[in-house]
Amino acid sequence: MTSTFHGLEIARRALFTQQSALKTTSHNIANANTEGYTRQRVNFSQTSPYPTPSRNQPHMPGQVGTGVEAGSIERVRDGFLDYQYRGEHNQHGYWGAKADALSQMEQIMNEPSDEGLAKTMDRFWSSLQDLAVEPEDTGARAVVQQRGIATTETFNYLSRSLSNVQGDLRDEADIATKEVNSLVTQISNVNKRIQEIEPHGYLPNDLYDERDRLIDELSNLVNVKVSYEPAGGQAKKMAMGTATIELADEKGRSLPSPVQLLDSNNNVHKMDVSFGEVNNQQVVTGINVEGYDSMKPENFITTGKLKGIIESHGFETNDGEVDGQYTNMLANLDKMAFAFANRFNEVHREGFTLNGDTDVNFFDLDGATDTDYIGFANRIAVTDEIKTDESQIAAAKNNNKGDGENATRLADVKSEPQAFLGENVTVQSFYQASIGRMAVDAQEVNRMVKNAETLKGAVDERRQSVSGVSLDEEMANMVKFQHAYNAAARTITVVDEMLDRVINNMGIVGR
């Protein structure tokens, strides 16, 4: 036999449970626009029926239900979609960093345009052809002098501008590693709070959201593999535990030598990037994580924004060479400047100036040689002799003032193959090839960025369809829970009337 007040107890439990559902619905609605929030739901469960099977159980026709309780409040989230989203977010960070770097390079090179190096050199070659027609003309000589200076200044400008952006990329790499360290430290702090709550049988859903949001941000910088360790105590089966963060390759697998940024003891291993000089160029020489051996840049196979920045800036290969978009472009510019200036000087020294002098250099090589030319584009200049006296331009092949044959030979340097640049490669074709490669790389990178954006957006939409708050659905739930609450309250009223009949109105006949 159940208690007289059994009906009241069932109704009380229903009131409390429906109230919990209404509060959870309100929480969802309140956070409809909160970044990273995952909608929550109350898992209703029946309370144990009465009586429980035992030898001394009361004689009843069957078990009577005792009501409902809120078994748990959990997030509605799909771990597989999180995995997919982080993979696409990671690719977007990698290609986005490369696209930004290439975009700045294209702006600096500014080709094709009237202000680019190609046009400036064309004007220089054209002025030499004019000089060949009128070798004694002071005006034609002054034009060659000034256009020569303009060409060297353009080389200087391009080299310095590319170096400045390379310096910015170095700062950006430092910022990215600091951001990684900051995010991992924040995840560690959230882990600590989760570790304090879960053993008591609670699900810290809002802390789970915060941790997932931080991991999402981290995945943009470096690819990570996340695993979870049980918090212990009386933690529920659906409790996530504490997260460990490990660097992963492009496919999300552990590195050949696993590296953890956050270990199972919740210790943070901070990372940084080291720079050094290789072949006279400042490049990335290693990626360091506390507690692990330093990784060579080529062995750092963790995609993400940081790797995109490193590959754009320039890095040391495992063979001790240098590779990277900016280092390659700077090296090509130096090589081209040296080949151009060196060959031009060779032809110029063979000619005669207006004063009858010979063996005069037009460009100052400043000690550059065919084995040591790195940085030459930054310091190429017209010699002081030519700068101060345009008559020192050797336009004549012979010591004849009216002869402009050497000026013609100087103009022909433009289309003259130079073995130093490659087989059948001229200064002009070398530069065109460099610009062409840059354009093709930029086109490919921009295509990959668009692909990554599209895929990331598609996964995010699917993730939001599962985890996001739908106000329509929440409003429908609110009405449902409200009616259930009202029905439970009505049950209390009915039981009250029944008890009133029993207590106050029974046994009064004949009084």
Side-chain angles (χ1 to χ4, degrees):
M1 181 68 70
T2 57
S3 162
T4 307
F5 302 104
H6 183 67
L8 283 175
E9 180 61 19
I10 293 176
R12 183 190 68 79
R13 288 177 180 176
L15 283 177
F16 286 166
T17 305
Q18 302 303 331
Q19 209 170 40
S20 298
L22 279 168
K23 286 175 181 173
T24 303
T25 302
S26 300
H27 187 54
N28 287 340
I29 293 171
N31 287 285
N33 297 317
T34 302
E35 185 186 357
Y37 178 75
T38 303
R39 70 187 175 97
Q40 300 175 8
R41 71 179 175 203
V42 176
N43 292 324
F44 289 41
S45 61
Q46 297 168 326
T47 51
S48 301
Y50 180 83
T52 54
S54 65
R55 180 182 294 275
N56 298 317
Q57 66 186 28
H59 293 287
M60 293 177 65
Q63 288 185 313
V64 178
T66 58
V68 66
E69 65 179 356
S72 62
I73 301 173
E74 69 169 352
R75 301 185 306 160
V76 182
R77 201 166 178 109
D78 188 332
F80 180 65
L81 289 176
D82 281 341
Y83 177 79
Q84 281 190 316
Y85 175 81
R86 286 165 191 163
E88 298 304 335
H89 196 35
N90 176 263
Q91 289 298 307
H92 186 258
Y94 173 69
W95 291 112
K98 297 192 80 165
D100 288 344
L102 273 172
S103 173
Q104 291 185 69
M105 185 186 285
E106 284 187 309
Q107 288 174 7
I108 292 169
M109 300 310 291
N110 199 19
E111 297 287 1
S113 73
D114 288 342
E115 289 77 32
L117 179 61
K119 195 69 177 180
T120 305
M121 293 189 77
D122 280 346
R123 292 193 187 104
F124 180 57
W125 303 125
S126 177
S127 69
L128 287 165
Q129 289 169 346
D130 293 342
L131 179 63
V133 177
E134 297 180 279
E136 293 179 280
D137 184 70
T138 305
R141 286 177 173 273
V143 172
V144 171
Q145 177 197 50
Q146 292 305 314
R147 290 190 173 168
I149 293 172
T151 301
T152 59
E153 288 177 346
T154 304
F155 270 113
N156 298 158
Y157 167 78
L158 294 178
S159 180
R160 287 169 193 163
S161 298
L162 290 173
S163 297
N164 288 340
V165 175
Q166 198 179 27
D168 292 342
L169 288 171
R170 175 176 177 154
D171 294 340
E172 206 173 335
D174 286 335
I175 291 170
T177 53
K178 286 177 183 172
E179 203 173 342
V180 168
N181 295 334
S182 170
L183 288 169
V184 175
T185 302
Q186 290 179 63
I187 292 169
S188 171
N189 292 335
V190 175
N191 267 348
K192 286 178 187 172
R193 293 170 64 189
I194 289 174
Q195 208 166 17
E196 292 169 355
I197 295 172
E198 282 186 345
H200 298 287
Y202 296 116
L203 295 176
N205 293 317
D206 294 329
L207 290 177
Y208 293 156
D209 280 347
E210 175 63 8
R211 186 171 62 186
D212 283 336
R213 187 186 65 76
L214 293 170
I215 294 173
D216 284 351
E217 281 188 39
L218 182 62
S219 67
N220 183 253
L221 298 166
V222 290
N223 205 13
V224 292
K225 181 179 177 183
V226 185
S227 53
Y228 297 93
E229 299 287 335
Q234 302 298 318
K236 290 190 173 182
K237 286 184 179 178
M238 61 180 69
M240 295 187 70
T242 55
T244 60
I245 308 289
E246 181 183 343
L247 288 178
D249 65 10
E250 186 180 2
K251 295 183 178 177
R253 300 172 300 199
S254 300
L255 300 185
S257 299
V259 176
Q260 287 188 324
L261 298 177
L262 184 63
D263 63 27
S264 55
N265 294 321
N266 210 29
N267 295 319
V268 176
H269 299 261
K270 293 186 176 179
M271 69 184 305
D272 63 65
V273 176
S274 56
F275 294 83
E277 189 171 304
V278 179
N279 297 338
N280 297 324
Q281 288 183 288
Q282 282 292 325
V283 293
V284 176
T285 54
I287 293 89
N288 315 304
V289 178
E290 284 178 354
Y292 297 92
D293 293 336
S294 178
M295 286 178 277
K296 286 282 188 183
E298 277 193 326
N299 298 335
F300 183 67
I301 53 177
T302 297
T303 50
K305 183 178 179 181
L306 180 60
K307 187 171 177 62
I309 293 170
I310 290 172
E311 288 184 353
S312 299
H313 176 279
F315 57 92
E316 181 185 15
T317 66
N318 290 342
D319 299 330
E321 299 296 325
V322 170
D323 198 4
Q325 290 164 346
Y326 273 76
T327 48
N328 288 346
M329 181 57 84
L330 279 166
N332 285 341
L333 209 57
D334 293 335
K335 189 173 185 178
M336 174 186 163
F338 174 74
F340 158 67
N342 188 46
R343 180 57 188 157
F344 196 90
N345 277 351
E346 286 176 358
V347 177
H348 195 267
R349 284 198 299 270
E350 292 172 2
F352 289 83
T353 68
L354 205 57
N355 304 322
D357 297 330
T358 188
D359 199 26
V360 176
N361 279 332
F362 189 92
F363 292 110
D364 182 1
L365 294 184
D366 193 27
T369 66
D370 55 0
T371 56
D372 183 15
Y373 55 82
I374 295 299
F376 180 64
N378 186 39
R379 61 180 194 271
I380 182 176
V382 172
T383 59
D384 292 338
E385 209 171 356
I386 301 292
K387 274 183 185 174
T388 54
D389 185 2
E390 64 272 8
S391 67
Q392 288 299 96
I393 298 172
K397 181 76 168 59
N398 301 303
N399 191 10
N400 179 357
K401 293 182 179 179
D403 176 24
E405 187 180 344
N406 205 48
T408 302
R409 291 182 64 217
L410 287 169
D412 290 342
V413 170
K414 171 186 178 183
S415 52
E416 186 180 300
Q418 296 193 37
F420 179 66
L421 296 176
E423 189 176 354
N424 294 323
V425 179
T426 65
V427 169
Q428 188 177 31
S429 64
F430 183 83
Y431 183 63
Q432 287 172 344
S434 298
I435 296 299
R437 278 194 295 274
M438 177 188 72
V440 170
D441 287 346
Q443 190 178 31
E444 174 66 11
V445 165
N446 288 330
R447 186 180 68 80
M448 293 303 293
V449 169
K450 284 184 180 176
N451 286 348
E453 275 179 353
T454 304
L455 292 172
K456 178 184 158 188
V459 174
D460 194 36
E461 280 183 17
R462 288 206 302 275
R463 193 165 72 152
Q464 286 302 316
S465 70
V466 174
S467 304
V469 175
S470 164
L471 289 178
D472 294 341
E473 184 178 344
E474 298 302 330
M475 291 302 291
N477 285 339
M478 184 183 292
V479 172
K480 184 172 71 176
F481 298 138
Q482 183 186 13
H483 280 300
Y485 184 88
N486 289 343
R490 179 64 183 162
T491 303
I492 290 179
T493 303
V494 170
V495 174
D496 178 50
E497 289 175 355
M498 290 166 58
L499 291 174
D500 180 59
R501 174 66 63 183
V502 170
I503 296 170
N504 298 319
N505 297 317
M506 281 181 70
I508 60 174
V509 178
R511 286 185 183 179

